[in-house]
Amino acid sequence: IYSDGALGGVKIQKELQRSREATLEQAMLDVALDASIAYLNLLRAETQVQVRRSNLDLTRTNLELAQSRRRIGTAGAAEVYRWESQIALDRRNLVDADAEARSALVVLNRLLHEPLDREIRTVDLTTDDPRFSPGSGLLDGYIETPLHFKTLMEFSVDEALEKSAEIRSIDAAIVAQERAVKVARRSNRVPTIAARATVDETLDRSGAGSGPLPPGSPNDTDWSLALSATLPLYSGGEKRAERRKAELELDELRLQREVIVEGVETSIRTAMLAARASFTSIGLADASAQAAGKNLELVQDAYARGAVSIIDLIDAQNSSLAADLAANEAVYNFFIDLMQVQRASNRFDFFTSPGEREDWARRVGEFFESRGVKPLGKP
């Protein structure tokens, strides 16, 4: 009829189920993060292949210049051999870059549980890609203004703490354990009430010695009804030990929650700071690549006229190559940092609808106004 332990067990299992569902959500977010990073690594590797191939074409052009210089007598065979050696080195670097791209494809296919040799047609990304810029808050000027960035970080921390799957999982576990503690504390005061009914029926009597029942004997149907209440007044300390164990486990869960909250806040803050730095690096790396490219054009023209040596041209070409690789690296480093921000925020923009993104932007504006900071884009 009534059992405090049984009823408590039902409520405990409901909370534990909520904890399991939140844990499943954590796993799904982690998989989304791993897959997005794997895809970005594939894009980065493919871009590096393109840069290496362009550099190889440039080296071949320089070899033709050296051959022309040799024919007119302004260069010796050593310059031609030096460029031929450089072509071999560039081809080796291209092969290595292609192998890295193929390895990145294998990793992505494994995460997607697809055949490992399946080809994937990739689509390159830019920092103004509409699939990422809405809702991220990092591409709309907030990252460039210290006050706006600080306020955006506070908003992101609040959102992460409210929606974190890790926190929701531990909260459900705490509620379940609090119920377990209540049941343990009341185990010596709340009785278990039970009702029991039995019916025994003799269906047939036959054979030797099975004559009719004598007068006054019970009939063929026996029944009983019992109502009992049990209360363990003494259990040799077992109940006290169980109660103490439940209380200690609850204290442990509460301490774990504090650690998880600190971890979530740390993750969102460090990820946003990294994204801010990598976003800034994009412009600097691009400026460096453009300057290195212009310098290479000047040195290449001077080399064709015999005004500079082969060492100057090789140095300019290597500088331009390094700058181009760094510029492409900066873009994908930012997107990877952005994925880390979104994972720490418990949301991925590519999973959200336009309406959800508009709702996010509305909450950002309301949060900024509550802090006395004018949201960007408002007069």
Side-chain angles (χ1 to χ4, degrees):
I1 296 177
Y2 178 81
S3 172
D4 192 52
L7 293 175
V10 172
K11 295 180 179 179
I12 289 171
Q13 288 304 316
K14 288 182 178 179
E15 295 299 330
L16 291 179
Q17 180 62 23
R18 288 179 51 209
S19 178
R20 296 185 193 101
E21 291 173 355
T23 301
L24 175 61
E25 184 179 342
Q26 293 177 44
M28 294 173 63
L29 290 169
D30 290 338
V31 170
L33 174 64
D34 292 341
S36 61
I37 291 178
Y39 180 74
L40 291 170
N41 284 334
L42 175 59
L43 289 179
R44 172 163 50 190
E46 290 181 342
T47 303
Q48 304 296 50
V49 169
Q50 296 173 8
V51 173
R52 292 285 184 184
R53 184 174 288 115
S54 297
N55 183 67
L56 176 59
D57 293 339
L58 179 60
T59 303
R60 287 171 174 156
T61 300
N62 291 334
L63 172 61
E64 294 174 357
L65 287 177
Q67 291 171 338
S68 298
R69 282 163 51 89
R70 183 185 179 187
R71 283 194 296 269
I72 62 178
T74 58
E79 287 195 15
V80 175
Y81 296 146
R82 179 64 183 83
W83 284 116
E84 289 177 347
S85 173
Q86 187 65 40
I87 285 179
L89 178 61
D90 290 345
R91 290 181 64 184
R92 189 192 71 181
N93 291 334
L94 177 59
V95 169
D96 291 342
D98 184 69
E100 184 176 348
R102 293 184 179 278
S103 297
L105 177 62
V106 170
V107 172
L108 178 59
N109 279 327
R110 181 183 65 83
L111 288 172
L112 298 177
H113 199 56
E114 296 286 349
L116 298 183
D117 58 348
R118 184 184 73 120
E119 295 294 332
I120 296 178
R121 191 180 72 172
T122 58
V123 179
D124 205 0
L125 300 174
T126 59
T127 54
D128 58 352
D129 193 298
R131 290 167 293 180
F132 290 90
S133 56
S136 71
L138 297 173
L139 306 179
D140 302 321
Y142 288 103
I143 199 171
E144 300 171 359
T145 308
L147 178 60
H148 284 84
F149 181 73
K150 180 177 180 295
T151 307
L152 178 64
M153 181 180 291
E154 293 174 355
F155 168 80
S156 300
V157 169
D158 288 352
E159 287 266 303
L161 294 178
E162 179 183 351
K163 298 182 177 181
S164 170
E166 291 85 352
I167 294 178
R168 284 188 284 111
S169 176
I170 193 68
D171 282 345
I174 288 175
V175 173
Q177 192 60 30
E178 287 175 343
R179 181 63 184 179
V181 169
K182 290 181 180 179
V183 171
R185 288 175 177 173
R186 298 189 304 194
S187 61
N188 288 331
R189 302 193 305 270
V190 180
T192 298
I193 303 174
R196 179 181 180 184
T198 62
V199 177
D200 294 328
E201 179 74 22
T202 302
L203 300 178
D204 179 61
R205 293 178 181 274
S206 62
S210 59
L213 295 175
S217 299
N219 55 28
D220 289 342
T221 302
D222 294 329
W223 61 272
S224 65
L225 177 64
L227 180 66
S228 66
T230 59
L231 182 64
L233 299 177
Y234 179 74
S235 59
E238 178 183 357
K239 296 295 182 181
R240 183 171 60 255
E242 291 178 352
R243 181 177 65 252
R244 184 55 180 161
K245 178 184 177 183
E247 292 171 346
L248 291 174
E249 289 177 349
L250 177 59
D251 291 340
E252 180 182 3
L253 288 174
R254 287 171 174 168
L255 289 175
Q256 289 180 7
R257 187 186 190 281
E258 293 180 6
V259 173
I260 291 174
V261 169
E262 290 178 353
V264 170
E265 182 172 354
T266 300
S267 296
I268 189 69
R269 289 184 180 275
T270 55
M272 290 189 67
L273 289 171
R276 184 187 192 188
S278 58
F279 183 75
T280 304
S281 297
I282 293 176
L284 299 176
D286 185 62
S288 174
Q290 292 183 19
K294 292 178 181 178
N295 177 66
L296 174 60
E297 292 177 0
L298 295 175
V299 175
Q300 190 178 35
D301 180 67
Y303 175 75
R305 293 184 285 103
V308 297
S309 68
I310 184 176
I311 299 301
D312 295 325
L313 180 54
I314 291 177
D315 180 67
Q317 183 176 342
N318 288 337
S319 296
S320 179
L321 172 63
D324 287 341
L325 292 174
N328 286 285
E329 188 84 5
V331 172
Y332 295 108
N333 283 343
F334 166 71
F335 277 113
I336 289 175
D337 289 337
L338 180 59
M339 294 301 98
Q340 297 285 0
V341 170
Q342 295 192 354
R343 170 60 185 92
S345 301
N346 213 71
R347 62 188 296 274
F348 284 97
D349 283 344
F350 47 76
F351 285 154
T352 58
S353 65
E356 290 172 327
R357 296 182 183 185
E358 292 178 3
D359 183 63
W360 183 91
R362 177 188 57 78
R363 295 199 307 274
V364 170
E366 292 175 352
F367 184 87
F368 270 65
E369 291 174 352
S370 69
R371 298 301 174 92
V373 181
K374 183 176 72 173
L376 295 181
K378 286 196 173 185

